[in-house]
Amino acid sequence: MEFDVRVWPRVGGFGRYTRLLAAATWLPNVALAMGFFSELMYTAVPSYQCQGVSGDPCPGNSSWENSSNQSQHCPGGWHFQAQGWLNSNIVTQWELLCDRQWKVPLEKISYLVGWLLGYIIFGCICDRLGRRAAFIGALVMALPLGVAVTFTSSYFSFLPLRAGFGAALAGMFLSFYISRVELCSPSQRLMVTMIGGFFWVAGELLLPGMAVLCSDWRVLQGSITGTLMLLGVYWCGHTLYPESPRWLLATQQVEQCKSELHMFARANGINIGEDASGQDHVFTEIDSLCEGFPRPQYYSICSIFGTRLIWRNALILGFTAFIGCGIRPCFARNLQVFGPYIPYFLQAGSEIVACILICICVSHCGRRSVLLLFTILTGFCSLLLLALTQYLFIEASIVISVVGSLCSHAVVMLSVFYACEVLPTVIRGSGLGLIMGINMLGRASLPFIELQHKSGYFLYHVVLSSFCILSVLSLLLLPETKRKSLPETLRHGENLRRPPLLLHPTQDTLPLLKHGKKRADYNPDSYARLASSTKKMIRSDTTGSTCGEENKALSSD
């Protein structure tokens, strides 16, 4: 049964309580964004020199290419120039300089791998134990690991603890993201998700201020862990973060689903006693679909490989998200002329503009066409930088880089949201976790290049620009999900079809039929009676002609 059509409206739909729950899922994005972008603060390499050495500093600057052949030994100790946000981070804490500087990109890779594994593991937990259980498990994991990271004493103990902390943050982000989408009706899904994106950017913008106030990376880590402790109210208060009734019904957990729906109905102001017939009808229909004593039916990510269309859609969107994340450093590189601070805020500003453009364009033109447009613009900006960088003014390169960064972020955001709409409820957690894990793999590609002394950067840029062209061609195979109900089962996901590109996304008509306004005198029951009468007349004429031919044959004999 269609949850958005036959169940959700009967218990209030996107009513007062549901809107409150959707708003409650926005707030954790602030703390999660600060945890994610704190990596930039922890690994920033400040200007440094060896004390007691006159003239040029030892090794002279913070560029790894020029310093990798020098020794990290400095008898007089290192002198670091304050970088403006944190006076102390892991680079200054453990002197990750010169021939130790390879440990900085290694830490970035391990942290992103932690997010990758967190998305995959907690995505599977979302489909097996539920969205709320995945959040609770991630929160219980994040708090002790966050405290352990704060008090860690060595670099090699910092790596696994920090990776585990990132995995827990990924689990919380994924569970909130899926719950937010499953709470909304088709017309509200886009706006509610993009507002969540604004809260993510808010956390990104608040982080520098918090870093200045904390000054030391350990204090900043403790502050972020403290904000995560506030999310315990979502664990203690079931009404603030209930289990998704959509997932409960899709996995045939009937009794728990009916209990959650009763709670939503009461909280949305629907009097069950006064509207008993409607409520009984809904629950009777639910019981009829799961007759007897049904056992819950769970699915794993392996189920996607037995489908014909779902795996293809997931592969295309995962590939597109990978390109969007991987190509962003190619644009950010041209912004380094402004120093370490302005590019950070330019990136955040481009994310805000990307959210606004998605809200405006997608609501009118649909998901597929807008994603196609942003992917084309991303590839075009990338190719311009590849071919014309040495011939362009620095101002033109900066403008192209900002536009490319904006478009690439829009590609990532829309790909993840699109994937959440095309994946069925029964595998939405594991499928979306896999796609967002591929997203993290794209982010980790730049630290891999830094680990190789930035050799192969031009080839990396060329490959991703080529991938953009391939992605544009593959996006044409995706279905349109604008104003459509979320697929609940694998069969529903397989029924999503690809509309013509130039057809308006809301139209779902046959190409030979003219789509016009419905006539006031049109009555479907009269049409059905007319069709039935016509069939009877055809049968009677056929029978009469057959009998006449038989009589003629007998008379001739």
Side-chain angles (χ1 to χ4, degrees):
M1 59 190 306
E2 291 190 8
F3 187 88
D4 289 318
V5 176
R6 301 166 66 179
V7 177
W8 202 228
R10 304 278 183 91
V11 295
F14 200 66
R16 178 183 57 196
Y17 175 63
T18 311
R19 291 195 296 269
L20 176 63
L21 291 182
T25 63
W26 298 334
L27 299 177
N29 276 6
V30 178
L32 296 175
M34 289 192 292
F36 180 78
F37 290 104
S38 63
E39 183 70 10
L40 301 177
M41 310 291 177
Y42 293 172
T43 58
V45 180
S47 300
Y48 57 89
Q49 66 178 6
C50 182
Q51 294 182 358
V53 178
S54 60
D56 294 335
C58 174
N61 52 52
S62 58
S63 176
W64 192 12
E65 295 91 339
N66 297 329
S67 64
S68 58
N69 295 325
Q70 302 289 336
S71 173
Q72 80 278 6
H73 179 67
C74 180
W78 295 98
H79 173 71
F80 299 98
Q81 182 180 354
Q83 57 174 335
W85 287 340
L86 285 179
N87 294 329
S88 172
N89 59 12
I90 66 170
V91 177
T92 61
Q93 177 79 31
W94 293 302
E95 297 182 351
L96 305 181
L97 309 170
C98 304
D99 56 359
R100 287 182 182 175
Q101 198 167 348
W102 60 271
K103 295 180 179 180
V104 175
L106 179 62
E107 196 280 329
K108 294 179 181 179
I109 293 172
S110 66
Y111 185 60
L112 293 173
V113 168
W115 276 77
L116 185 153
L117 295 177
Y119 279 134
I120 296 175
I121 293 173
F122 284 100
C124 295
I125 294 176
C126 281
D127 289 338
R128 185 63 179 82
L129 302 178
R131 285 61 167 133
R132 176 178 168 82
F135 160 71
I136 294 174
L139 181 63
V140 171
M141 179 179 172
L143 295 179
L145 285 175
V147 174
V149 169
T150 304
F151 295 102
T152 185
S153 59
S154 66
Y155 170 80
F156 289 104
S157 63
F158 177 83
L159 286 183
L161 292 174
R162 180 72 173 160
F165 182 71
L169 295 182
M172 286 188 282
F173 179 83
L174 181 64
S175 59
F176 277 118
Y177 192 96
I178 296 175
S179 298
R180 185 184 309 125
V181 172
E182 292 182 345
L183 281 173
C184 300
S185 302
S187 58
Q188 286 89 26
R189 282 200 302 260
L190 175 67
M191 185 60 66
V192 170
T193 304
M194 291 302 109
I195 294 177
F198 287 123
F199 277 81
W200 175 270
V201 179
E204 184 179 356
L205 293 175
L206 288 175
L207 180 62
M210 181 176 288
V212 171
L213 293 176
C214 294
S215 181
D216 186 83
W217 73 271
R218 295 183 185 274
V219 180
L220 178 60
Q221 176 66 30
S223 302
I224 294 174
T225 306
T227 58
L228 294 177
M229 292 181 64
L230 300 177
L231 301 183
V233 298
Y234 291 86
W235 179 8
C236 301
H238 181 268
T239 56
L240 192 59
Y241 187 39
E243 187 54 80
S244 171
R246 185 189 301 270
W247 174 77
L248 293 172
L249 182 59
T251 54
Q252 296 189 7
Q253 302 180 60
V254 179
E255 294 304 321
Q256 189 177 355
C257 175
K258 291 164 67 175
S259 175
E260 296 288 345
L261 290 176
H262 270 292
M263 183 190 70
F264 272 89
R266 291 194 300 269
N268 280 323
I270 295 181
N271 192 330
I272 298 179
E274 295 178 359
D275 193 20
S277 59
Q279 295 294 327
D280 291 341
H281 175 72
V282 172
F283 296 129
T284 302
E285 189 172 1
I286 292 176
D287 291 333
S288 65
L289 292 176
C290 308
E291 295 179 356
F293 299 93
R295 299 184 62 181
Q297 295 184 0
Y298 302 109
Y299 297 83
S300 66
I301 189 59
C302 297
S303 305
I304 198 173
F305 299 109
T307 61
R308 188 169 58 91
L309 298 178
I310 298 175
W311 74 268
R312 185 197 68 186
N313 297 335
L315 178 64
I316 293 173
L317 292 170
F319 179 65
T320 307
F322 169 81
I323 294 172
C325 270
I327 206 169
R328 289 197 78 187
C330 302
F331 300 120
R333 190 181 188 186
N334 292 326
L335 303 178
Q336 297 304 320
V337 295
F338 294 114
Y341 312 124
I342 295 179
Y344 182 88
F345 292 104
L346 282 177
Q347 294 277 357
S350 66
E351 293 171 8
I352 295 175
V353 176
C355 290
I356 296 174
L357 290 178
I358 289 176
C359 291
I360 296 174
C361 299
V362 174
S363 59
H364 291 85
C365 304
R367 280 67 164 153
R368 187 179 62 158
S369 57
V370 175
L371 180 58
L372 187 65
L373 173 63
F374 280 124
T375 306
I376 292 174
L377 291 177
T378 301
F380 181 70
C381 292
S382 179
L383 291 174
L384 280 180
L385 291 179
L386 278 174
L388 303 176
T389 298
Q390 56 183 341
Y391 305 108
L392 293 174
F393 295 108
I394 185 64
E395 293 81 3
S397 298
I398 291 173
V399 171
I400 294 174
S401 299
V402 171
V403 174
S405 179
L406 185 155
C407 295
S408 62
H409 184 73
V411 167
V412 175
M413 290 189 66
L414 193 50
S415 297
V416 173
F417 174 69
Y418 205 166
C420 199
E421 289 189 320
V422 300
L423 289 170
T425 300
V426 292
I427 59 168
R428 184 168 292 123
S430 55
L432 189 62
L434 182 60
I435 290 174
M436 298 183 78
I438 297 173
N439 184 348
M440 290 297 107
L441 191 62
R443 287 183 180 270
S445 56
L446 181 61
F448 272 113
I449 296 177
E450 292 177 350
L451 198 60
Q452 300 296 325
H453 296 219
K454 296 186 179 179
S455 60
Y457 188 87
F458 180 78
L459 179 61
Y460 169 77
H461 196 170
V462 171
V463 170
L464 285 181
S465 300
S466 304
F467 281 172
C468 278
I469 301 175
L470 180 60
S471 177
V472 168
L473 298 177
S474 61
L475 289 175
L476 298 174
L477 301 175
L478 293 176
E480 179 56 60
T481 57
K482 180 183 177 182
R483 296 195 182 95
K484 291 185 178 180
S485 301
L486 293 176
E488 309 298 343
T489 63
L490 296 178
R491 180 174 59 85
H492 293 160
E494 289 286 272
N495 290 334
L496 293 176
R497 299 298 179 184
R498 174 180 61 87
L501 181 63
L502 299 180
L503 187 66
H504 194 274
T506 59
Q507 295 181 4
D508 192 18
T509 57
L510 295 175
L512 297 180
L513 297 180
K514 184 178 180 181
H515 184 72
K517 294 183 179 180
K518 186 176 179 180
R519 293 179 53 182
D521 57 346
Y522 172 73
N523 188 347
D525 295 333
S526 301
Y527 177 79
R529 288 194 295 268
L530 176 62
S532 178
S533 302
T534 304
K535 291 179 180 178
K536 291 180 181 179
M537 292 175 61
I538 294 174
R539 292 195 194 98
S540 61
D541 292 343
T542 305
T543 304
S545 61
T546 304
C547 294
E549 292 177 357
E550 292 178 353
N551 293 333
K552 289 181 180 180
L554 291 174
S555 60
S556 63
D557 292 340

